[in-house]
Amino acid sequence: MKHHVYIVSFFIAYLISVINAINNEEKDPFQHKERLDKQWEYVLGSRKIFGNQEILFKNSSDDAAISSSCKSELTAFENGLKERQLWALKMADASSKIPSGILEGNLIDLGMYDECLAVHGVWSDIDVYGRHCMYKIGFNITGIMVKGTLSTCLPASCTVKDIMIFLNQTISRIPSRYTQNVTLGGVTCSRDEPSELDTESIVYLVIFGILVGFLLVCTVCGEYCKMTDSTGSYLETLSQFSLIKNGAAILSTERKKGNLPYIQGLRFFSMSWVVLGHQFLYAFSLTPNVNAAHVLEWIQSWKSLYIFTAPYAVDTFFTVSGFLMTYLFLKEMSKKPNFNIPMYYIHRYLRLTPSVLVVIIIAVVFVPNIGSGPLWEQSTAYSIHFCRKKWWSTLLYIQNFKEKEQMCLPHLWYLAVDMQLFWFSPIILYPLYKMPKIGLWFLSGLLHVSMIIPAYIIAVNEYRMVSFTSGRGLAGTLFGEAMQNVYMVPHTRATPWLIGIFLGYEIVNHNRRLTKRIVFAGWLLTCVFFTFCILGTRYFMDPEYEYSVVEETLFWVSTKLFWGLAIAWIIFSCVYKQAGLISSVLSWSFLLPLSRLSYCVYLVHFVIQSMQVGMVRLPGYFSNYFTWCSYFSSYTISIIVAFLLSLLFESPLIVLEKMLLRRK
C-alpha cells in the first residue's frame, strides 16, 4: 500500500506546485526552483511517512473505521508487490500516474479500468480482486474551481469510506501553505462483483416479454383480418395494436388533411439542435479531455456560437407548444363547444407520461447493468440514485420545484415546465373562446408579467444568464443557481409560450390578406430578431466582456420575446404561403416520421449520451470534429431506440387511450 500512497502523494504535490504557480501568474512555473525544491522535499519525505504501516493503520484516529478485510487485503497487496507478483504489479500499474500536459488542462487520468477489474491474486490464502475507483481533487485557479480526476486500483473489499480516509491522510500530510486551495471531491468505485439480473430486472423483463408477445399476437390478427376482410370482430380490435400497422403509421410520409407540415420541420430541426447542444455539453464538461485548457478558448471564440445559441431551440418548442395547444383547442371548440376540463388534463397526462415511465424504468433497472467504465458510476448517478428516490416527482411533473438539485433525468425539466404551463392554460384559452376581448387583454397582461418576473429575479440575484467567463465564479450562471431559479421554472419561461397562444388565436379567428409590404416588414424584423439574439449571445461570450446586471437582464427578457416573435412569424407566413423556400424545407415529407419520433428522441438521447461518457476508457481530445462524430452516432442510436420505444409503448397506449376515451 505504501507504494500506491506514495504515487498519490507525489501526484497531488506535483499538481499543487503547478496550480500555485498559475495562481501567482507565473509564466513558467518550472523556473521557480525554490518552490519546486520544497515540493520535492515533501514528496521525497513522504516515502518515510507512508512507508510506516503503524502510522497508516494504528496511530490514526480514522483507522478504526477501516474494515479488517480491507486491511488484510492491503497487506496482501503490499507483500505481493514486494515479491513482484504479476497480479500485484498489474494492480499498481492500473492506478493513475502523472500525465503529460497538465498545463494544457490534462487533469484527468482514468487509469486502466479493465486491467484493474481483471486482477485476481492470492497471497497467504487471501484472495484479492481489483476494484477501480475515481476520486476528485479540487484546485482554486484565479477564482475558478478546477477539479482533477484521478483513479486508483485497490482490493475489492475496500469501501469508498476507506479510500476517503487514505486520501484525506495524504492531503493532511502536505504542508497547509500548499493545500489552502485544495479540496477533496467525491469518490466513486466500480461495483464489488459482476452485475447480475436481480429480481427487479427479471420482473420487468417478464412484463416486457408479455407485452411483446401480445403485440405479436395482435400483428398476426391484423394480417389475418387483411386476408379474410374480417370487420367488427375482436380480431379487428386486436389488430389496432399491430406492430406492422403502427410501424407504418410512424414511418408514413403521407400528409393528412388539415395537417401543418412546417410544424413537423420546426420540431425536427429544433430537436436536432437540442441534442447537439447536450452532446457538446457532455464533451466539454463531463468527458475527460487532455486539452481541457483549450475548451475555455473554444467557448470564448466564434466557433462555439452555434452551441451557446442552442437554448433558443427550447424557446422554439415553447412557441410551437403554445400555438398548437391554442390552435387545436379553438378548432375543437368550434365543432363541439363543451369544454370537459378533466378530460382535457387526462388526455395530456396519458399522452406524455407512459413513455416517461418506461424511460425511468430503463434508466433505473437496466442502464446500470448495460455497460461499465471508469466514469460509469458517475454518469449514471441520476438513474441509480436520483430516479429511485425522485421518480414520483418526475411523473407528477413537479421535479423542477421539488429538490431540483437531485432531479431524476434532469433534461426532463422541459416536460415539467410545459405541463405546468398547460395546467394554467384553461384560464387563458376559455376566455379567449368565450370573451375574446377580455381574453386578449388578460393574455397581454400575462405577457408583460412574464417579462417582469424574470427581470426582477435576475436583477436582484445578479445572475449571469448568458456570460460565465468574467471571473465571477459559476454559482450565478446557467451552470449554477440561475439554471434552477430562472431557466427551469415556468414563470420565467412563459413569454414565447404566450406568444404562441397569440398566434394560435390569430390564425384560427382571422383570415388576413398579407400585402408585400407586410411580408417584407415581417421577414426583415424576423432577421433582425434572430441577428440580435445570435450576435448578442456572442457579445456576452467575449472574453473582454465585463459583467453588467442591466445588460444581462434586458438581454434575457428581450431574447425570449424576440425569438418567440420570430418563430411565430415563420409559422404565420407558412400558413399564408409567404415563406417560400423556408416553408418547402420545413415541409419536406421525410421529416414527418422523424418529427413523430422527436418526443421519444428527447426522452432517450440524454441517457444514451451519458452511457457514451460512462464507457470511455481513456481521455480524449476535444475538438469540433470528434464531438460531431459522437453527435451523429448518439443521434442515430437515439432515433433507433426512439422508434422502438414509440412502436412498443407509445403507439399502443395511444390506441388504447382512443378506445377507452372514444376520441376520434
Side-chain angles (χ1 to χ4, degrees):
M1 183 58 195
K2 63 182 180 182
H3 297 83
H4 173 72
V5 178
Y6 166 69
I7 292 174
V8 172
S9 63
F10 180 83
F11 200 166
I12 293 175
Y14 180 75
L15 284 175
I16 291 173
S17 67
V18 175
I19 299 304
N20 285 335
I22 295 175
N23 282 333
N24 287 284
E25 299 181 353
E26 296 166 359
K27 296 181 179 179
D28 187 357
F30 300 102
Q31 290 180 356
H32 295 260
K33 185 176 183 299
E34 183 179 358
R35 179 181 289 116
L36 285 178
D37 287 343
K38 292 180 180 179
Q39 296 283 31
W40 276 103
E41 182 180 345
Y42 159 72
V43 170
L44 296 176
S46 66
R47 294 190 182 203
K48 298 179 181 179
I49 294 175
F50 293 104
N52 190 336
Q53 287 190 0
E54 292 185 357
I55 293 178
L56 183 61
F57 289 131
K58 295 182 179 179
N59 295 338
S60 173
S61 59
D62 292 329
D63 290 340
I66 299 177
S67 61
S68 58
S69 58
C70 179
K71 291 180 182 179
S72 61
E73 290 188 16
L74 284 173
T75 302
F77 171 40
E78 182 175 358
N79 285 293
L81 282 175
K82 290 178 180 178
E83 297 173 5
R84 297 295 185 266
Q85 293 186 15
L86 182 59
W87 66 269
L89 294 174
K90 285 187 175 182
M91 194 174 237
D93 181 53
S95 299
S96 287
K97 312 297 187 301
I98 297 177
S100 303
I102 288 180
L103 293 180
E104 293 296 313
N106 187 17
L107 298 175
I108 298 179
D109 187 272
L110 303 180
M112 291 300 292
Y113 179 84
D114 297 294
E115 181 184 27
C116 178
L117 264 60
V119 168
H120 176 211
V122 179
W123 187 87
S124 186
D125 297 329
I126 299 177
D127 282 317
V128 180
Y129 291 89
R131 188 182 190 192
H132 186 276
C133 298
M134 302 293 300
Y135 57 94
K136 294 183 178 180
I137 300 292
F139 302 92
N140 192 303
I141 305 179
T142 62
I144 300 176
M145 181 58 69
V146 177
K147 292 183 178 180
T149 304
L150 311 175
S151 69
T152 179
C153 183
L154 290 175
S157 62
C158 293
T159 64
V160 169
K161 184 178 180 180
D162 296 331
I163 298 167
M164 288 291 291
I165 293 173
F166 298 151
L167 295 175
N168 280 316
Q169 287 176 342
T170 301
I171 294 178
S172 67
R173 288 176 172 85
I174 301 176
S176 60
R177 63 179 179 273
Y178 297 131
T179 59
Q180 57 184 349
N181 291 323
V182 179
T183 58
L184 177 62
V187 175
T188 58
C189 296
S190 61
R191 280 161 290 199
D192 298 330
E193 56 187 23
S195 57
E196 298 178 357
L197 286 178
D198 54 12
T199 303
E200 185 181 37
S201 302
I202 294 174
V203 169
Y204 282 114
L205 284 174
V206 170
I207 295 174
F208 175 76
I210 293 173
L211 175 62
V212 172
F214 171 76
L215 294 177
L216 290 174
V217 171
C218 294
T219 303
V220 174
C221 292
E223 296 305 301
Y224 176 78
C225 291
K226 285 182 182 179
M227 293 185 293
T228 59
D229 293 329
S230 300
T231 57
S233 63
Y234 288 109
L235 292 179
E236 185 184 18
T237 301
L238 290 176
S239 68
Q240 301 300 312
F241 297 95
S242 169
L243 293 174
I244 295 177
K245 181 177 181 179
N246 289 327
I250 295 172
L251 299 176
S252 173
T253 59
E254 180 183 356
R255 298 177 184 174
K256 297 181 180 180
K257 185 178 180 181
N259 194 6
L260 305 175
Y262 31 86
I263 296 296
Q264 316 302 326
L266 280 174
R267 278 177 172 169
F268 169 74
F269 288 117
S270 297
M271 181 55 60
S272 301
W273 204 4
V274 168
V275 176
L276 179 64
H278 287 162
Q279 189 71 54
F280 270 86
L281 179 63
Y282 267 114
F284 63 70
S285 63
L286 297 177
T287 302
N289 296 306
V290 298
N291 61 329
H294 293 171
V295 173
L296 183 59
E297 298 177 5
W298 176 83
I299 289 174
Q300 295 175 323
S301 70
W302 285 86
K303 298 177 183 178
S304 66
L305 186 58
Y306 67 99
I307 297 302
F308 284 92
T309 52
Y312 293 129
V314 180
D315 295 320
T316 300
F317 276 115
F318 279 126
T319 306
V320 171
S321 177
F323 164 70
L324 286 178
M325 179 188 67
T326 308
Y327 180 83
L328 296 175
F329 173 82
L330 294 178
K331 286 284 189 181
E332 184 72 16
M333 292 296 288
S334 65
K335 299 176 183 178
K336 188 179 179 181
N338 294 326
F339 184 29
N340 190 330
I341 294 182
M343 295 308 301
Y344 179 76
Y345 288 133
I346 290 173
H347 167 63
R348 177 78 168 192
Y349 188 83
L350 292 179
R351 174 65 183 85
L352 299 180
T353 310
S355 297
V356 176
L357 176 61
V358 172
V359 173
I360 291 176
I361 292 173
I362 293 174
V364 170
V365 179
F366 299 109
V367 166
N369 299 319
I370 290 176
S372 63
L375 302 175
W376 185 260
E377 303 302 320
Q378 299 177 38
S379 64
T380 59
Y382 64 88
S383 61
I384 297 174
H385 304 294
F386 299 157
C387 281
R388 285 194 177 275
K389 296 179 180 179
K390 309 298 179 185
W391 59 269
W392 58 271
S393 63
T394 303
L395 296 182
L396 293 178
Y397 301 98
I398 58 173
Q399 71 268 33
N400 57 331
F401 286 104
K402 180 66 177 177
E403 296 183 17
K404 45 198 170 185
E405 66 278 358
Q406 297 182 357
M407 195 181 301
C408 166
L409 300 175
H411 68 295
L412 298 186
W413 70 266
Y414 170 80
L415 294 184
V417 172
D418 189 61
M419 180 65 81
Q420 289 155 10
L421 292 173
F422 183 81
W423 292 339
F424 187 74
S425 63
I427 301 176
I428 304 174
L429 297 180
Y430 199 70
L432 279 178
Y433 172 71
K434 279 292 188 180
M435 301 168 287
K437 290 185 178 180
I438 296 177
L440 287 173
W441 277 106
F442 181 58
L443 183 59
S444 178
L446 288 177
L447 182 61
H448 286 81
V449 171
S450 72
M451 292 185 286
I452 293 173
I453 291 177
Y456 174 79
I457 295 175
I458 295 170
V460 169
N461 295 281
E462 295 188 355
Y463 288 144
R464 285 174 289 137
M465 302 308 301
V466 187
S467 66
F468 60 89
T469 58
S470 58
R472 292 169 56 92
L474 297 178
T477 70
L478 285 180
F479 291 92
E481 295 176 7
M483 173 68 77
Q484 299 175 356
N485 298 333
V486 180
Y487 194 81
M488 299 192 303
V489 288
H491 48 277
T492 60
R493 302 306 303 265
T495 300
W497 181 74
L498 294 171
I499 291 173
I501 294 177
F502 267 117
L503 177 64
Y505 174 84
E506 166 65 26
I507 290 178
V508 171
N509 289 279
H510 300 97
N511 185 16
R512 304 289 185 182
R513 295 187 63 183
L514 303 182
T515 64
K516 291 183 178 180
R517 289 185 178 180
I518 294 177
V519 172
F520 176 79
W523 281 112
L524 178 62
L525 284 175
T526 297
C527 293
V528 170
F529 290 160
F530 281 146
T531 302
F532 174 82
C533 294
I534 294 171
L535 295 185
T537 302
R538 170 57 195 164
Y539 167 75
F540 288 98
M541 298 305 300
D542 192 281
E544 302 298 325
Y545 168 73
E546 294 185 5
Y547 175 75
S548 168
V549 65
V550 175
E551 291 180 354
E552 292 263 359
T553 302
L554 291 177
F555 184 74
W556 170 267
V557 173
S558 59
T559 52
K560 303 301 127 185
L561 176 66
F562 292 165
W563 193 273
L565 290 173
I567 297 298
W569 172 257
I570 291 176
I571 299 173
F572 186 78
S573 59
C574 287
V575 169
Y576 290 102
K577 304 185 186 308
Q578 298 295 329
L581 180 62
I582 293 178
S583 179
S584 300
V585 172
L586 294 178
S587 303
W588 282 343
S589 58
F590 78 88
L591 296 181
L592 293 178
L594 294 174
S595 174
R596 295 189 188 101
L597 295 174
S598 61
Y599 175 62
C600 290
V601 168
Y602 180 73
L603 294 180
V604 304
H605 81 277
F606 204 79
V607 179
I608 292 171
Q609 289 174 345
S610 67
M611 291 171 61
Q612 276 187 334
V613 175
M615 288 187 283
V616 167
R617 292 304 198 265
L618 296 171
Y621 187 89
F622 174 81
S623 70
N624 276 319
Y625 174 77
F626 292 132
T627 307
W628 272 91
C629 290
S630 299
Y631 164 70
F632 282 120
S633 66
S634 66
Y635 200 12
T636 302
I637 296 173
S638 297
I639 291 174
I640 295 173
V641 175
F643 175 75
L644 295 176
L645 178 64
S646 179
L647 183 64
L648 297 177
F649 299 100
E650 185 183 36
S651 296
L653 288 170
I654 291 175
V655 172
L656 182 62
E657 183 211 1
K658 290 180 179 180
M659 291 180 177
L660 294 177
L661 303 181
R662 297 186 178 184
R663 297 181 65 256
K664 293 185 180 180

